[in-house]
Amino acid sequence: MNKRQEVSVQPGSEPVRSRHVEAPDGLICPASVIFDTAAVMARIHDETVGVTSEKDVRGIAVRILAEARQAGLAEISTAFVMQPFASRPTTRAYSWLTDQIVTIILDVATKLLHPAPNPTEAEKLSLIAVGGYGRGEMAPHSDVDLLFLTPYKITPWAESVIESMLYMLWDLKLKIGHASRTVKDCVRLAREDYTIRTSLVEYRYLAGDEPLANSLGQVLWQDLFRNTAGDYIEAKLAERTERHRKQGGQRYMVEPNVKEGKGGLRDLQSLFWMSKYVNGVKSAAELVGLGVFTQDEFEKFIKAEDFLWSVRCHLHLIAGRAVDQLTFDMQVEVASAMGYTDHGGRRAVEHFMQAYFREATRVGELTRIFLTALEATHTKPEPMLVRLMARRKRAKPPYTIKQNRLTVADEAGFFADKLNMIRIFEEALRTGTLLHPDAMRLIASHLDVVDDELRNSREASRIFLDMMLKHGNPERGLRRMNELGMLGAFMPEFAPIVAMMQFNMYHHYTVDEHTIQCISNLAQIERGELIEELPVASGILKRGINRKVLYVALLLHDIGKGRPEDHAILGAQIARKVCPRLGLSKKECETVEWLIRYHLLMSDVAQKRDIAEPRTVRGFANAVKSVERLDLLTVLTVCDIRGVGPGTWNNWKAVLIRNLYKATKAALETGLEDLNRESREAEAKRALRNTLEKWDAKAIKTEMGRHYGPYWQGLPNAAHVIFAKLLRDIDDTEICIDLMLDADRDATRACFAMVDHPGLFSRMTGALALVGANIVDARSYTSKDGYATAVFWVQDDDGNPYEESRLQRLRQMIVRTLRGEVVAREALKDKDKIKKRERAFKVDTKITFDNEGSEIYTIIEVDTRDRPGLLYDLTRTLANAHVYIASAVIATYGEQVVDTFYVKDMVGLKYYSEAKRQSLERKLREAIVQGAKQAIS
């Protein structure tokens, strides 16, 4: 249709279709400032007078509406920036602005483009908002979901109106979801599709034929909603479970999805959908009158909803598009937009994310309460396992079992003894039941009962420790105590770390959740579930250990986090006060305090130092002093690393911890004097001679006399065997490479043998960086006859060994780089980049020199921000300064890396000169700064 149908419209006459949308109160700024509806309509009318082309009319309307809409959006966003937590009036304002746009477009379509002065019954049309838009809540870039409702099959007139409307809406760059249906269509499709059904639960009449819109609501309730509540609830819960699974299944995901994640907006919206479906409520406030929530719980609902909507709106405004994932870079910007600041030794983003996770936890509490209320009315079925259990467990007074959950039968009896505030959690573990929401409500609303008398009670401490030590699944009791605020009330020192986020890529969980995950790992080891995976830790627990000390140390090991001081030192000081209160003996208190003070020691030594160096083991053994403490620290270290997050613990770390444990235990049992280089060299040569028994005597003698002492002391027997074979008939022009899976270490072992020359170690690291290999350990030695023997343990980007199919490309690139055909420095420029979402992380560079940790080498430790070309830059800088690198140990913690180099100067001496050390440090820092600039350019 190219020509517009002309129709005479008297000035001031009513539009053909009624407008329902009024200017509401409670917007972020006055409605008249956001959008002057009358002025916009008058302008469209004036500028389209005499215009006959439908396309031109649409163009004029779109131009005027686009200008007015942009001005309105700017007013809303400016007001929101000034009131960054005022999400409710902001989402209403976006919705109201959209209402004006949509209804004016309907008027343009029905008055100017396709007027129908005397519409038939079939030509009725109702414009309805559905989904989130129907709820009247919109973020800056939310979709606009519309239902065009007709009484019967759509007529040509209605089809033309809808088509013209959609053209204008699309030209305005709005994201439109639309459907054209009859009332019968809506009921039929909603019966078949729960997504459609949910969108109609929140329909809202906008304009057009109002009786038609009202009839939709009546028919939906009578013919569908009223008799299908149970089915709908089950479907929404299944959808929720699947949604959580896709988002990672954790409330404490480090990059949560504000809309779809666990504890996010969709969870709150689901509660309202189900309530509206079951009870017909129009607002969440009505849930209080129905007894679903108490007034206090409803206020938590509103607070959580307001906070999450604020976050979502800021996300949209910052990104300039619909974004719901709180990625690392966005977390920093949203925190700033919401006014969070750095203080108390923590970054603004960490304070913001702690607030976020606390609200997500509240959403979880509200969900549990609501779902159990549905169960009580039999709207939501009990879990299948519960229904199959014919025999109900018995609870001791004043408790009872209700809906297979533990609750309080006698409130007066419960509060007559304050100990019940703790005892109920142990009773839940004893009976194998979950806490009923009624009991949760009771506890959460009476935390003021927990006073110093209860905290200092020996009986309370006994119950608390029994909860951890006697029931096999302490994490369940601790997590429930934590979620209800009881853990922080009973142990105030724990409260600051609740929902505390650590802004880095290493820790997957909040500090409190990490603590509970650590305790869960310990319980798993105790139950014998990880014998194959953790033979050393399992063996220690099987032989016997002070379990109370270990559990308390794990519970408190990170309690000092979030403050400017070293958290291990502060945590040990806090433990000095908490342990006696928990009833530990003086010796147990001292052991817990020591474990917390040094809980990072074993991990640091194993991952950042060369365990083959005798002084490494000797220094660690001197710090530990006894096998008892070694056993405790080993298990704590294993649980701590495993509790960081999925995939953090791997075979590489397992081998490092296991080797350090065995070497230290042997040293403590047989004496530290046995730890010397001579004994290790003799043992290594004996092992190689036995392996090469088929070689002739001359070849064996050549190999035995070819290497200096550090070669024998620093490499495993398997590497000695490979190098013996590579060097046996080597030609001076050859580059001999052996690539092999090292299953024990979960890495690919790359061995190189060739004529030595300056900077060779650096070129090897460059070659490996070019193929994306992550170096986790490296050793390099020069033989007496001038050959370099170097071994690297490498992993791919996922932390796994290289697949067999990829080894050939790896080999080719290494050879080309070592022959000079590829210049690593140039080739790495495009690869040495930091991803945008990871640029928000800050890592202060620390460089230390240690001349005491090794007998013959200076240890240079570089702690800085990781990037693909960092190790190459550092080794190239050292090579250019004529530094001989004997070995490198690489420990990665998310975005942070600690590269440790065992080095000598060009004449084989340690770096004793302060001036030389300062010069080296300056050069290394320059390389780091320069590389970091290029990585974000």
Side-chain angles (χ1 to χ4, degrees):
M1 192 180 290
N2 297 319
K3 296 286 181 184
R4 114 185 213 203
Q5 298 176 34
E6 296 186 69
V7 58
S8 60
V9 181
Q10 298 299 319
S13 65
E14 292 298 312
V16 176
R17 296 290 176 260
S18 65
R19 287 175 52 81
H20 171 72
V21 181
E22 303 294 334
D25 296 326
L27 303 186
I28 189 74
C29 48
S32 58
V33 172
I34 297 172
F35 193 90
D36 189 335
T37 306
V40 171
M41 290 181 71
R43 188 179 166 196
I44 291 172
H45 179 266
D46 291 346
E47 292 195 26
T48 55
V49 171
V51 179
T52 58
S53 163
E54 180 182 320
K55 183 179 178 182
D56 291 345
V57 171
R58 286 203 318 259
I60 291 167
V62 167
R63 173 173 50 79
I64 294 169
L65 286 170
E67 290 173 8
R69 178 172 175 268
Q70 288 306 316
L73 291 173
E75 291 289 345
I76 296 170
S77 64
T78 300
F80 183 51
V81 166
M82 301 298 290
Q83 305 173 67
F85 285 86
S87 63
R88 200 165 292 267
T90 300
T91 57
R92 285 179 185 152
Y94 283 120
S95 180
W96 183 80
L97 174 59
T98 306
D99 290 349
Q100 308 315 299
I101 300 292
V102 169
T103 52
I104 286 176
I105 285 176
L106 176 66
D107 283 343
V108 170
T110 54
K111 285 175 60 178
L112 302 180
L113 298 177
H114 312 289
N118 301 301
T120 64
E121 185 68 21
E123 287 178 324
K124 289 179 179 177
L125 179 66
S126 185
L127 182 61
I128 292 172
V130 293
Y133 179 39
R135 201 165 49 248
E137 295 174 337
M138 292 187 78
H141 296 280
S142 290
D143 293 357
V144 180
D145 292 324
L146 296 170
L147 171 64
F148 298 98
L149 189 68
T150 57
Y152 313 111
K153 184 180 177 183
I154 194 164
T155 64
W157 171 81
E159 196 170 330
S160 297
V161 168
I162 293 166
E163 184 181 271
S164 294
M165 284 188 70
L166 290 174
Y167 279 135
M168 286 185 276
L169 290 166
W170 289 330
D171 287 344
L172 283 167
K173 303 294 188 288
L174 291 171
K175 287 188 291 181
I176 303 296
H178 64 93
S180 307
R181 296 182 182 128
T182 65
V183 173
K184 281 186 179 178
D185 288 338
C186 289
V187 175
R188 176 177 56 79
L189 292 168
R191 197 182 298 278
E192 297 168 357
D193 189 314
Y194 286 106
T195 302
I196 294 173
R197 197 184 303 188
T198 298
S199 71
L200 290 171
V201 166
E202 298 193 290
Y203 88 92
R204 177 170 61 94
Y205 167 68
L206 290 175
D209 194 286
E210 190 167 3
L212 178 60
N214 292 338
S215 72
L216 173 64
Q218 292 161 4
V219 173
L220 282 171
W221 179 256
Q222 291 291 333
D223 295 1
L224 185 60
F225 295 172
R226 192 173 60 172
N227 302 313
T228 56
D231 291 345
Y232 181 75
I233 300 299
E234 278 207 73
K236 294 315 290 181
L237 292 178
E239 181 186 289
R240 172 175 165 267
T241 301
E242 177 60 17
R243 176 164 44 81
H244 288 173
R245 186 192 65 75
K246 285 181 179 177
Q247 292 298 325
Q250 284 283 346
R251 189 172 293 115
Y252 303 113
M253 297 300 291
V254 287
E255 293 184 292
N257 188 302
V258 180
K259 182 181 176 185
E260 304 288 350
K262 195 168 186 178
L265 276 169
R266 186 65 86 213
D267 280 359
L268 281 177
Q269 290 162 356
S270 295
L271 298 188
F272 183 59
W273 291 334
M274 290 185 273
S275 294
K276 191 164 186 180
Y277 199 103
V278 173
N279 304 304
V281 300
K282 290 187 176 140
S283 76
E286 294 176 64
L287 297 175
V288 177
L290 292 168
V292 175
F293 292 139
T294 64
Q295 183 61 36
D296 180 59
E297 287 160 353
F298 172 65
E299 286 168 9
K300 285 182 180 178
F301 184 107
I302 294 301
K303 184 172 180 289
E305 188 176 43
D306 285 353
F307 182 87
L308 292 171
W309 267 112
S310 293
V311 173
R312 190 173 184 224
C313 287
H314 285 297
L315 268 174
H316 281 213
L317 288 173
I318 291 165
R321 58 191 175 88
V323 170
D324 295 317
Q325 193 90 25
L326 257 177
T327 53
F328 294 127
D329 54 329
M330 280 296 189
Q331 288 170 19
V332 175
E333 295 197 52
V334 173
S336 175
M338 294 181 75
Y340 287 90
T341 59
D342 298 354
H343 64 273
R346 297 170 65 207
R347 291 181 65 181
V349 65
E350 293 175 317
H351 292 290
F352 161 59
M353 290 305 294
Q354 184 167 26
Y356 178 89
F357 287 125
R358 280 181 168 158
E359 295 304 334
T361 301
R362 286 194 184 99
V363 173
E365 289 173 29
L366 294 169
T367 303
R368 275 192 299 274
I369 290 165
F370 177 78
L371 296 181
T372 308
L374 288 180
E375 254 180 41
T377 61
H378 306 293
T379 310
K380 171 186 175 287
E382 289 182 325
M384 178 65 75
L385 183 62
V386 173
R387 298 203 300 269
L388 292 174
M389 289 174 68
R391 195 174 152 202
R392 302 280 174 173
K393 299 177 182 70
R394 297 174 67 85
K396 299 173 184 176
Y399 311 110
T400 188
I401 305 292
K402 177 181 173 183
Q403 293 170 267
N404 205 53
R405 292 175 173 85
L406 186 71
T407 192
V408 176
D410 174 12
E411 279 194 34
F414 181 82
F415 287 113
D417 183 358
K418 288 187 226 180
L419 287 169
N420 282 319
M421 288 288 284
I422 291 181
R423 191 178 283 129
I424 189 170
F425 294 98
E426 195 199 8
E427 182 69 2
L429 291 178
R430 187 190 69 80
T431 55
T433 53
L434 300 173
L435 284 183
H436 194 282
D438 290 350
M440 292 185 203
R441 280 170 158 162
L442 200 64
I443 295 163
S445 60
H446 288 83
L447 292 176
D448 56 330
V449 169
V450 183
D451 55 13
D452 286 342
E453 181 187 357
L454 181 62
R455 294 184 192 107
N456 292 309
S457 161
R458 285 299 168 127
E459 181 61 12
S461 295
R462 184 198 63 77
I463 294 168
F464 180 73
L465 290 175
D466 282 356
M467 189 182 76
M468 286 201 293
L469 297 169
K470 287 195 171 177
H471 300 284
N473 53 353
E475 69 277 12
R476 202 178 84 200
L478 287 171
R479 185 171 283 114
R480 189 62 73 239
M481 277 187 79
N482 190 37
E483 288 176 349
L484 295 177
M486 185 60 198
L487 187 53
F490 179 64
M491 190 180 290
E493 296 85 355
F494 195 86
I497 64 169
V498 172
M500 180 186 284
M501 182 246 200
Q502 301 166 86
F503 189 66
N504 57 53
M505 289 165 58
Y506 180 61
H507 291 95
H508 294 232
Y509 304 117
T510 53
V511 180
D512 56 332
E513 179 62 18
H514 161 70
T515 299
I516 292 170
Q517 290 283 344
C518 290
I519 287 172
S520 173
N521 271 283
L522 177 55
Q524 281 181 276
I525 300 170
E526 281 203 302
R527 292 194 295 264
E529 296 171 9
L530 301 171
I531 293 172
E532 283 189 23
E533 197 173 342
L534 303 174
V536 171
S538 298
I540 290 169
L541 288 172
K542 189 175 181 182
R543 289 192 299 273
I545 202 169
N546 190 324
R547 298 174 61 243
K548 188 197 298 183
V549 163
L550 193 51
Y551 271 100
V552 172
L554 271 176
L555 181 68
L556 304 180
H557 79 282
D558 275 347
I559 206 164
K561 280 199 167 175
R563 279 156 274 195
E565 303 93 328
D566 183 316
H567 83 277
I569 296 173
L570 184 59
Q573 293 168 355
I574 293 171
R576 200 177 300 160
K577 292 191 301 181
V578 175
C579 290
R581 204 166 71 218
L582 290 175
L584 273 66
S585 68
K586 186 170 184 250
K587 186 190 175 189
E588 288 172 333
C589 291
E590 289 172 354
T591 305
V592 169
E593 187 181 334
W594 183 88
L595 284 169
I596 294 170
R597 172 65 185 86
Y598 296 104
H599 74 272
L600 296 174
L601 178 63
M602 188 171 202
S603 174
D604 283 348
V605 172
Q607 295 185 71
K608 300 177 187 177
R609 289 293 180 266
D610 184 354
I611 303 169
E613 168 67 56
R615 279 199 191 178
T616 299
V617 177
R618 195 180 298 132
F620 181 63
N622 279 326
V624 174
K625 290 188 171 59
S626 71
V627 174
E628 178 194 4
R629 280 188 172 181
L630 174 66
D631 285 348
L632 288 164
L633 184 59
T634 301
V635 178
L636 185 145
T637 301
V638 169
C639 294
D640 191 14
I641 297 173
R642 288 177 65 87
V644 167
T648 306
W649 179 262
N650 54 32
N651 282 355
W652 179 257
K653 291 187 178 81
V655 167
L656 294 177
I657 298 292
R658 194 179 306 145
N659 289 347
L660 180 57
Y661 173 80
K662 287 178 178 176
T664 309
K665 188 180 181 191
L668 289 168
E669 289 176 342
T670 63
L672 300 179
E673 61 277 2
D674 284 349
L675 285 171
N676 61 70
R677 289 182 172 274
E678 290 73 21
S679 61
R680 287 194 175 188
E681 181 176 340
E683 188 179 327
K685 286 182 174 179
R686 186 165 53 252
L688 180 61
R689 191 175 281 110
N690 291 338
T691 308
L692 303 179
E693 58 183 350
K694 293 184 180 177
W695 281 31
D696 61 69
K698 184 181 177 184
I700 291 177
K701 185 179 178 182
T702 300
E703 181 59 26
M704 293 299 165
R706 159 176 264 157
H707 305 284
Y708 294 104
Y711 171 88
W712 298 108
Q713 298 139 16
L715 290 177
N717 177 254
H720 288 151
V721 173
I722 290 167
F723 281 124
K725 292 175 180 176
L726 292 178
L727 291 168
R728 188 172 187 183
D729 298 309
I730 193 168
D731 184 280
D732 284 359
T733 60
E734 269 189 284
I735 297 173
C736 296
I737 301 173
D738 180 272
L739 301 175
M740 186 179 290
L741 169 67
D742 190 334
D744 285 343
R745 301 191 183 209
D746 220 15
T748 297
R749 185 180 61 220
C751 292
F752 303 90
M754 69 201 82
V755 171
D756 194 18
H757 55 79
L760 185 59
F761 187 89
S762 177
R763 287 172 69 179
M764 291 180 197
T765 62
L768 291 167
L770 278 175
V771 290
N774 293 315
I775 301 169
V776 290
D777 201 354
R779 301 279 187 277
S780 178
Y781 306 97
T782 302
S783 67
K784 293 174 183 177
D785 51 352
Y787 289 100
T789 51
V791 57
F792 292 80
W793 282 269
V794 297
Q795 295 174 329
D796 63 17
D797 282 337
D798 297 321
N800 298 317
Y802 276 81
E803 295 174 4
E804 189 73 33
S805 58
R806 298 173 66 190
L807 291 181
Q808 187 57 32
R809 179 175 176 268
L810 190 65
R811 182 188 300 274
Q812 288 170 352
M813 180 57 74
I814 291 167
V815 170
R816 289 184 64 203
T817 306
L818 293 176
R819 283 182 175 157
E821 295 170 18
V822 175
V823 180
R825 188 175 183 180
E826 295 301 317
L828 271 173
K829 281 184 178 176
D830 292 335
K831 293 177 180 287
D832 190 14
K833 298 295 179 186
I834 297 174
K835 295 174 184 173
K836 183 177 179 293
R837 61 178 274 272
E838 297 172 4
R839 291 179 186 175
F841 297 111
K842 299 174 185 174
V843 179
D844 293 331
T845 297
K846 301 183 192 74
I847 300 176
T848 60
F849 290 79
D850 175 11
N851 280 319
E852 303 302 320
S854 170
E855 292 174 11
I856 59 176
Y857 300 112
T858 292
I859 303 171
I860 303 177
E861 183 176 288
V862 182
D863 184 341
T864 191
R865 178 70 163 85
D866 196 17
R867 55 185 171 81
L870 175 69
L871 185 60
Y872 172 66
D873 282 351
L874 296 178
T875 55
R876 182 166 49 84
T877 301
L878 292 173
N880 290 342
H882 309 294
V883 177
Y884 170 71
I885 303 171
S887 64
V889 180
I890 292 87
T892 306
Y893 307 90
E895 77 283 1
Q896 179 185 3
V897 67
V898 180
D899 289 341
T900 306
F901 303 98
Y902 284 71
V903 305
K904 293 190 287 192
D905 66 16
M906 60 192 302
V907 293
L909 299 175
K910 289 185 180 182
Y911 281 85
Y912 290 111
S913 163
E914 178 68 21
K916 285 186 177 180
R917 292 200 297 268
Q918 287 179 352
S919 174
L920 268 182
E921 180 175 348
R922 188 180 67 255
K923 290 173 181 175
L924 288 169
R925 286 186 180 276
E926 286 172 1
I928 290 167
V929 170
Q930 189 60 37
K933 282 181 184 175
Q934 290 178 354
I936 59 173
S937 61

